[in-house]
C-alpha cells in the first residue's frame, strides 16, 4: 500500500514538474497533463481513505463485539461503516431521532457518512420481527432513520 502511494506521488510530482517546465505552450497537452494530475490526486485521496478504513476496522469490530458479541454482524458492520464513523457513533445515529440529531444542519460529507451508516445497518442486521405485519416497513420508516 505504501509503495503504491509513493509511486503515485512520484508520478504526480513528475507530471507537475513537466507542466511547470514545459516549453511547449500547446494548451491541449497542458490540459491533458492537468487532467492526469487531477486523476492521480483522486487516486491518492481514495488510497488514503482506504488506508484509514483499514486502520479503523479492528477498533470498530472490538467495540461492536463488546456490546453485541455476534461476530458475523460485527464484521459486517465494521466493514460497511464509513472510516469516520466508529461503532459508538453508529449506535447514536441509529437511536437518535432525526430532529434531535440535527441532520439538516450537517455538512454534505457528514450527511453522506450518516446515510452510509444507515445503509450498513440495513445490510447487516438480521431483523426477525412479527411475520405478515409489515414490521420491517415500519422499522425502515421510523423517525430515527433519515
Amino acid at each position: 500500500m505504501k509503495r503504491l502511494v509513493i509511486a503515485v506521488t512520484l508520478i504526480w510530482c513528475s507530471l507537475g514538474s513537466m507542466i511547470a517546465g514545459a516549453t511547449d505552450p500547446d494548451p491541449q497537452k497542458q490540459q491533458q497533463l492537468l487532467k492526469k494530475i487531477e486523476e492521480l490526486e483522486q487516486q491518492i485521496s481514495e488510497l488514503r481513505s482506504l488506508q484509514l478504513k483499514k486502520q479503523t476496522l479492528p477498533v470498530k469490530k472490538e467495540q461492536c463485539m463488546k456490546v453485541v458479541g455476534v461476530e458475523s454482524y460485527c464484521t459486517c458492520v465494521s466493514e460497511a461503516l464509513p472510516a469516520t464513523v466508529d461503532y459508538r457513533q453508529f449506535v447514536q445515529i441509529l437511536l437518535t431521532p432525526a430532529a434531535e440529531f440535527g441532520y439538516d444542519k450537517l455538512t454534505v460529507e457528514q450527511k453522506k457518512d450518516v446515510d452510509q451508516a444507515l445503509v450498513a445497518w440495513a445490510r447487516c442486521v438480521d431483523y426477525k420481527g412479527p411475520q405478515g405485519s409489515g414490521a420491517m416497513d415500519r422499522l425502515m420508516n421510523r423517525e430515527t432513520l433519515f
Side-chain angles (χ1 to χ4, degrees), residues 31-87:
Q31 194 67 16
Q32 289 174 342
L33 287 174
L34 287 173
K35 185 177 179 183
K36 286 182 182 180
I37 289 173
E38 288 174 5
E39 289 172 358
L40 289 171
E41 287 175 342
Q42 177 66 30
Q43 290 174 349
I44 290 170
S45 174
E46 290 171 3
L47 285 172
R48 286 185 179 145
S49 175
L50 181 61
Q51 186 177 22
L52 177 63
K53 189 166 185 166
K54 279 183 130 181
Q55 291 171 347
T56 61
L57 281 177
V59 174
K60 292 176 191 178
K61 187 171 180 180
E62 181 183 343
Q63 290 174 335
C64 179
M65 288 298 291
K66 285 181 182 178
V67 176
V68 179
V70 178
E71 190 166 353
S72 60
Y73 168 78
C74 291
T75 300
C76 180
V77 167
S78 62
E79 290 174 356
L81 285 175
T84 56
V85 177
D86 66 11
Y87 191 76

Side-chain angles (χ1 to χ4, degrees), residues 92-98 114 118 139 141-146:
Q92 182 182 5
I93 289 168
L94 291 176
L95 298 178
T96 306
V114 168
L118 295 169
L139 184 64
N141 292 322
R142 65 186 181 170
E143 68 174 24
T144 56
L145 292 177
F146 303 106

